[in-house]
Amino acid sequence: MLSLGGFWRNNLSRLIRPTAVTASPWPHWISTKGQVFLFGIDWEYSAPAGSKNKELQAQRKKGLGFYALSHFEDVIGFISALPVAKGRKYAAALHLADRLSQGGIEIFCFHLREDLYSFIALNESKPVPGHDYVGTKENVWQLGDDFANLQEKQAIRYVGNSGIFEMEEPLTLEKALTDPAPHAQFKSIIHQPLLLAFAAVLLGVLGLVYGANAYLTHLRIQEEQKRQALLNDPNVLYEQSIGPALKQVTSGGRTQIDSWIQTIGKLPLKTSGWRLDSVKCTLQDCTATWHREYGNFSELFNSLGLAYVSRTENMDTSKVGNSTATTTHRLAEASRASTMDRNALPVAKDVLSLFSSQLQDLTLLDNATITLDKPVLFPASAQGSAETLQRPVVRGTWGLQLELWSIHSLKLLPYVVPETLDIQFPADKQDQAVYSLKGSFYALYK
């Protein structure tokens, strides 16, 4: 059996009409992303607000069952029936007027399929009656030419993908028909006499059930209050934010440090007249800074033996010996294989006890500098406080500075995450380098 939508598609020849003929009662429609947009609607200037209902009832008697009203209710379009296609039905002209119009006189023209084009004229962001049309390329061009001749040389903005008009701003049909304007949706013309009769009957019924209805309303209000309280519950809001936040945190331990060391270990301390001055690493890459002793930039870059993704050159023309360069290298292997597991986190008091003890042991090493900050609620944007939430996660920051030889024996707990590494190589004692390691630690507050 042929559906109503199929019947319309097979009778599109009715849509090809000259300018003076009113729009066909069988408009063309397009379904996209679950929404249905109708082209070729009859538009007319709407009656004043006080006589709006009278106008609708008059159109209903003519066999028209649905209407779409412009945002300021000054232009109205009618249609006898809506397509069977699933999804809400919108007037394409009103949607374009609301979402894409810039005011003034505009023509939106799109290639729908084969030799079928839509033509929609807007004036001050309102559809122009008689100019929401679907037809052949020749018909659309003629309609546009006639319309332009009536504008007394006023500027016209052309938008679309038809290629029919010069200076047409490119816009695909897919991009045009997104985020439907709510007021562009078609509404049913209510049968007022029938509605009045039904209202009279309903009024009598409501009188009998008033008490029950009041009670049910009271219950609904209570349920809504409970629902709103639940939606505004800081614990509910926190649970919605903590999961995505933890997914952005890599697991702790040595994984990140090992990745840095593998990359840095491939860099020479001296090469082609350049010495390594420092290396700074993030979670994604490491940047080495080189100091010139006698070589040139090209010799440095060609001698590294390790691929770099970017480089910089800084030459001091007054004292060439002060020239420096940088090379940035991707890490030897990805360190984000796993993320922080909330269920595996210990409570904050245990973390502080274990981690601070480990840091205390490191202070026994020569030239050690240690920092450890009190943890706060994580993520920082979460509502509420660690004291009031049921199962909050906290985050603290830490830092340590030690001689480089110690980094190979450094063992971090699984919930301690290194985030940056900065190694400085002294000019005269490169083998006595020091490193600065900074990061975060995570724990359950209670």
Side-chain angles (χ1 to χ4, degrees):
M1 178 180 294
L2 184 65
S3 67
L4 184 56
F7 176 82
W8 290 352
R9 288 192 293 271
N10 292 335
N11 288 271
L12 287 173
S13 59
R14 302 187 182 189
L15 302 178
I16 303 174
R17 53 182 172 77
T19 305
V21 179
T22 58
S24 167
W26 305 105
H28 183 77
W29 57 271
I30 288 180
S31 178
T32 175
K33 296 182 180 179
Q35 312 292 344
V36 181
F37 293 85
L38 279 71
F39 298 81
I41 306 300
D42 265 332
W43 299 100
E44 60 185 55
Y45 296 111
S46 180
S51 57
K52 185 81 64 187
N53 185 63
K54 183 177 180 181
E55 177 186 12
L56 293 176
Q57 295 304 313
Q59 296 294 341
R60 184 191 60 78
K61 290 181 180 179
K62 295 179 181 179
L64 300 175
F66 301 87
Y67 72 98
L69 193 60
S70 65
H71 184 73
F72 294 103
E73 300 188 0
D74 47 3
V75 178
I76 190 169
F78 294 97
I79 185 175
S80 59
L82 295 176
V84 182
K86 293 183 179 180
R88 295 180 179 180
K89 315 304 187 298
Y90 298 90
L94 291 187
H95 166 75
L96 295 173
D98 183 84
R99 292 289 191 249
L100 299 172
S101 174
Q102 297 179 2
I105 300 175
E106 301 168 303
I107 291 177
F108 287 82
C109 190
F110 297 99
H111 183 202
L112 302 180
R113 66 174 182 82
E114 299 175 357
D115 189 24
L116 194 65
Y117 295 79
S118 71
F119 177 96
I120 295 175
L122 304 179
N123 188 359
E124 298 300 333
S125 302
K126 295 187 292 289
V128 177
H131 291 79
D132 184 354
Y133 175 70
V134 176
T136 65
K137 188 173 186 178
E138 292 75 14
N139 293 140
V140 166
W141 179 88
Q142 185 62 57
L143 182 60
D145 187 57
D146 294 343
F147 179 74
N149 291 333
L150 296 174
Q151 305 313 310
E152 298 180 353
K153 297 184 179 180
Q154 295 187 63
I156 300 178
R157 177 185 177 225
Y158 294 89
V159 185
N161 66 350
S162 67
I164 296 177
F165 304 105
E166 295 182 358
M167 300 181 66
E168 185 179 63
E169 296 178 21
L171 178 65
T172 65
L173 193 59
E174 291 75 14
K175 289 184 178 180
L177 303 182
T178 56
D179 187 20
H183 73 271
Q185 184 176 352
F186 278 93
K187 303 176 183 63
S188 175
I189 301 177
I190 299 175
H191 192 327
Q192 189 180 42
L194 182 62
L195 179 62
L196 292 175
F198 175 75
V201 175
L202 182 61
L203 185 61
V205 174
L206 288 177
L208 298 175
V209 300
Y210 176 79
N213 183 65
Y215 175 71
L216 293 175
T217 300
H218 176 69
L219 291 180
R220 286 195 295 270
I221 292 175
Q222 286 186 326
E223 290 297 323
E224 179 61 21
Q225 290 174 341
K226 291 179 181 179
R227 189 180 73 85
Q228 290 297 331
L230 182 62
L231 290 176
N232 295 321
D233 185 346
N235 285 290
V236 174
L237 297 175
Y238 183 75
E239 291 302 319
Q240 293 173 352
S241 64
I242 184 61
L246 284 177
K247 287 182 179 180
Q248 302 302 314
V249 180
T250 60
S251 59
R254 280 198 58 92
T255 303
Q256 184 68 56
I257 296 177
D258 291 338
S259 181
W260 285 330
I261 296 301
Q262 288 183 39
T263 301
I264 298 171
K266 297 177 182 179
L267 295 173
L269 291 177
K270 290 189 176 182
T271 179
S272 299
W274 295 78
R275 63 176 174 81
L276 183 59
D277 187 67
S278 66
V279 179
K280 295 183 179 181
C281 297
T282 67
L283 296 176
Q284 291 77 35
D285 53 43
C286 289
T287 298
T289 299
W290 306 89
H291 189 89
R292 179 182 181 275
E293 293 179 340
Y294 59 84
N296 60 48
F297 291 119
S298 297
E299 290 172 339
L300 166 65
F301 298 138
N302 292 332
S303 67
L304 291 181
L306 179 63
Y308 53 83
V309 294
S310 65
R311 72 187 193 190
T312 64
E313 303 168 1
N314 181 24
M315 185 175 71
D316 188 340
T317 56
S318 62
K319 191 174 182 181
V320 180
N322 290 337
S323 298
T324 60
T326 66
T327 55
T328 300
H329 311 267
R330 288 197 179 94
L331 298 185
E333 60 182 31
S335 61
R336 298 181 63 88
S338 60
T339 56
M340 191 64 65
D341 183 2
R342 184 185 187 187
N343 295 323
L345 293 177
V347 295
K349 62 183 183 65
D350 293 337
V351 172
L352 290 172
S353 176
L354 292 171
F355 189 36
S356 61
S357 296
Q358 183 184 21
L359 294 179
Q360 284 176 330
D361 292 339
L362 292 175
T363 60
L364 300 176
L365 299 176
D366 293 337
N367 303 317
T369 301
I370 307 294
T371 61
L372 180 64
D373 295 331
K374 183 180 179 180
V376 296
L377 181 63
F378 177 81
S381 60
Q383 298 183 24
S385 65
E387 292 78 11
T388 58
L389 294 172
Q390 293 177 353
R391 193 166 172 260
V393 174
V394 292
R395 169 185 176 269
T397 58
W398 57 271
L400 56 88
Q401 181 175 310
L402 296 168
E403 294 180 358
L404 184 57
W405 63 265
S406 66
I407 197 170
H408 294 285
S409 59
L410 182 64
K411 295 182 180 179
L412 297 180
L413 298 167
Y415 42 83
V416 176
V417 181
E419 295 169 347
T420 63
L421 174 65
D422 185 351
I423 304 177
Q424 299 294 325
F425 297 92
D428 53 345
K429 296 180 180 180
Q430 284 187 299
D431 57 341
Q432 298 182 16
V434 295
Y435 69 95
S436 175
L437 190 63
K438 295 181 180 180
S440 303
F441 65 91
Y442 298 83
L444 297 176
Y445 179 72
K446 53 188 174 181

